[in-house]
Amino acid sequence: VRKLAPGASENVVIDTIAYGADGAVELTGRARPGEGGFVRAYLDNSDAGTASVDESGGWQMRLTDVLPRLYTL
């Protein structure tokens, strides 16, 4: 994982990248817990989704309509 945006958090971890039966990309990870915290995923520098960070620091995100090919996440 490479930090691309100035000011982006260095405290975000992607733990798993999986694929649902319908082909959706399923991401889970950890971030610094805190009220109103969120993580945002980008595919090839385009916003692909946002997930809230829970009180223990966990987050999960499901990306649908992602065509099979190589992406920069």
Side-chain angles (χ1 to χ4, degrees), residues 7-64:
S9 174
E10 295 179 4
N11 298 308
V12 176
V13 176
I14 297 172
D15 290 320
T16 62
I17 301 174
Y19 301 93
D22 61 354
V25 178
E26 299 170 346
L27 306 172
T28 62
R30 294 168 280 137
R32 181 175 293 169
E35 189 173 324
F38 66 94
V39 295
R40 186 168 287 138
Y42 294 87
L43 295 179
D44 292 340
N45 293 323
S46 294
D47 188 358
T50 302
S52 297
V53 177
D54 65 28
E55 59 236 11
S56 66
W59 60 268
Q60 56 187 2
M61 186 181 308
R62 185 170 165 80
L63 308 178
T64 58

